[in-house]
Amino acid sequence: MVSDSLDEIQALRDAALGELASVQDAEALERWRVAYLGRNAPLNQVLSGLGKLAPEQRRTLGQATNAAKVALQEAYEARLAELKARAREEAFARERVDVTLPGRPLAPGRLHPITQVIEECLHILQSMGFQVASTREVELDYYNFEVLNIPPEHPARDMWDTLYVQPPSVLLRAHTTAYQGRMMQELTPPIRILNVGRNYRFEAVDATHEWMFHQIDGFAVDEGLTLADLKGTLTAFAQQIFWPTVRTRFRCDYFPFVEPGVDMSISCHACEGRGGDCPVCRGAGWLEILGAGMVHPKVLQAGGLDPERYSGFAWGMGPERIAMIKYGIQDIRLFYGNDLRFLEQFA
Ligand code: DAH
């Protein structure tokens, strides 16, 4: 009787262990646990029936049943650990990265060629003692024109095809010269300052004109400044931004805010100034670079400075033009066409 029961327990235990060996995942394992170790599992039923047996039988059967339960519990825990370890390994294999693979290259950005030229210009001019004041692009007519000796109705206004934001008093600055009045109000001489940034003009766009372009305007006011200071400063600048043996030429030009006014040309790099049938300078031997002059007494006066005591020189130049000459670029529109094939050449 008892030995039959012992055989049964043994058989139950073997069957359970056999089944456990084929359990492959967490769900099946849980079903197995409920079936063989749960409250209604056969071994537990045996245990709850022990009370009806004689003490001797009860002990033998009880010990055997408990031993079987412990064996199943241990086997369960071992299988659980195995399955967990396997799941970890599988996840590891799935998520594995090959750290020896070469990385994906990042496309490094670079500065726009105009930004590069601006930085180069500023570096040179700062080493000469000029400071940078970048001022507003939306400006008052007063600073763009009037303070610069260009009253309303003055014919010189035609030199700047101006875009108005709120006519007639607010506009998009047509030149960076528009800061000179503000600078004279804010600073006391000696003044050596630069205004760098965008300008806007109501312009028919072609190979040499854009409706937006940059300018660097230089402005120096002190006691005793002469045209020689202007020529010396701008020639030294040209020798650094272009090449050391470049020659400069100054000719009379008209700008309402300077007297005298000049334009500066540099010797052509293609023909070295010889001209002839040079396609770059079209035979002139010279390339016009910028406008300049001695600050007009009326401009100094409008800025609250005594023209009997102070004099100054000023100039305005376009980084686009400088870049076109430096790099032999024929069309200004390339700078703002966002074509990477063009832009990537300026590493
Ligand atoms: N602002 C002028 C222009 O846009 C350039 C210029 C000429 C600036 C003479 C100056 C200057 O400061 O003195 O054409």
Side-chain angles (χ1 to χ4, degrees):
M1 227 310 265
V2 172
S3 66
D4 281 355
S5 298
L6 287 176
D7 286 349
E8 250 173 66
I9 288 166
Q10 184 64 37
L12 203 64
R13 183 186 127 141
D14 291 347
L17 291 177
E19 236 177 82
L20 186 62
S22 60
V23 161
Q24 296 300 339
D25 59 54
E27 274 171 40
L29 183 65
E30 179 59 11
R31 279 198 299 277
W32 183 93
R33 189 192 63 78
V34 172
Y36 292 106
L37 293 167
R39 198 167 341 135
N40 298 320
L43 285 179
N44 282 332
Q45 283 172 5
V46 173
L47 288 177
S48 50
L50 286 180
K52 289 183 238 140
L53 300 179
E56 187 60 21
Q57 293 177 332
R58 192 188 302 161
R59 205 179 55 218
T60 318
L61 215 50
Q63 275 173 355
T65 311
N66 276 325
K69 264 186 79 173
V70 168
L72 291 191
Q73 183 67 34
E74 279 171 359
Y76 165 80
E77 273 157 24
R79 188 76 185 131
L80 182 67
E82 261 169 42
L83 288 181
K84 275 191 181 162
R86 200 166 73 191
R88 255 200 314 277
E89 264 164 38
E90 280 167 5
F92 181 71
R94 236 185 355 259
E95 294 159 15
R96 180 194 196 89
V97 285
D98 182 351
V99 294
T100 66
L101 282 178
R104 293 189 194 99
L106 289 178
R110 63 195 79 190
L111 294 176
H112 190 278
I114 294 305
T115 309
Q116 291 185 34
V117 167
I118 287 174
E119 289 197 348
E120 232 179 294
C121 290
L122 295 186
H123 181 74
I124 296 166
L125 294 166
Q126 282 171 323
S127 77
M128 297 177 178
F130 284 86
Q131 287 183 302
V132 180
S134 291
T135 57
R136 61 202 78 195
E137 293 176 16
V138 177
E139 194 39 286
L140 295 175
D141 180 274
Y142 177 75
Y143 288 106
N144 194 79
F145 287 127
E146 276 189 55
V147 93
L148 295 174
N149 193 29
I150 317 169
E153 316 306 333
H154 191 290
R157 288 204 173 202
D158 292 348
M159 292 167 73
W160 295 273
D161 304 293
T162 308
L163 289 159
Y164 283 86
V165 178
Q166 272 169 32
S169 57
V170 185
L171 45 74
L172 293 179
R173 72 176 173 205
H175 51 178
T176 45
T177 318
Y179 76 133
Q180 292 183 359
R182 292 184 183 280
M183 292 300 108
M184 286 185 286
Q185 285 167 351
E186 279 177 31
L187 307 170
T188 42
I191 297 172
R192 276 175 189 74
I193 202 131
L194 305 163
N195 187 22
V196 186
R198 297 185 178 89
N199 308 282
Y200 302 88
R201 292 197 194 163
F202 186 58
E203 198 71 83
V205 172
D206 63 22
T208 52
H209 297 86
E210 262 286 5
W211 58 272
M212 186 286 294
F213 58 94
H214 294 77
Q215 271 184 345
I216 301 176
D217 194 280
F219 186 57
V221 181
D222 201 351
E223 290 179 22
L225 288 182
T226 70
L227 195 64
D229 296 300
L230 181 160
K231 291 174 75 174
T233 302
L234 293 181
T235 301
F237 168 77
Q239 288 166 346
Q240 290 179 69
I241 194 78
F242 294 109
W243 57 96
T245 56
V246 74
R247 284 172 294 128
T248 52
R249 179 185 73 176
F250 295 85
R251 292 191 304 183
C252 286
D253 200 348
Y254 171 71
F255 301 97
F257 31 89
V258 282
E259 182 57 38
V262 296
D263 65 49
M264 182 180 95
S265 303
I266 58 165
S267 49
C268 174
H269 56 289
C271 63
E272 291 174 341
R274 279 190 299 276
D277 55 3
C278 175
V280 174
C281 61
R282 294 203 184 85
W286 298 94
L287 300 163
E288 262 183 51
I289 294 291
L290 55 83
M294 299 306 293
V295 180
H296 198 291
K298 283 194 179 164
V299 173
L300 292 171
Q301 242 158 7
L305 298 177
D306 177 4
E308 295 297 322
R309 180 171 173 199
Y310 294 112
S311 58
F313 66 88
W315 78 95
M317 57 190 180
E320 282 88 351
R321 173 121 181 94
I322 293 175
M324 287 169 84
I325 290 173
K326 262 174 96 89
Y327 302 121
I329 296 162
Q330 309 290 344
D331 195 324
I332 194 173
R333 290 168 290 197
L334 287 167
F335 290 120
Y336 306 111
N338 287 335
D339 187 335
L340 286 180
R341 290 169 304 176
F342 172 74
L343 295 172
E344 277 173 351
Q345 295 175 57
F346 304 90

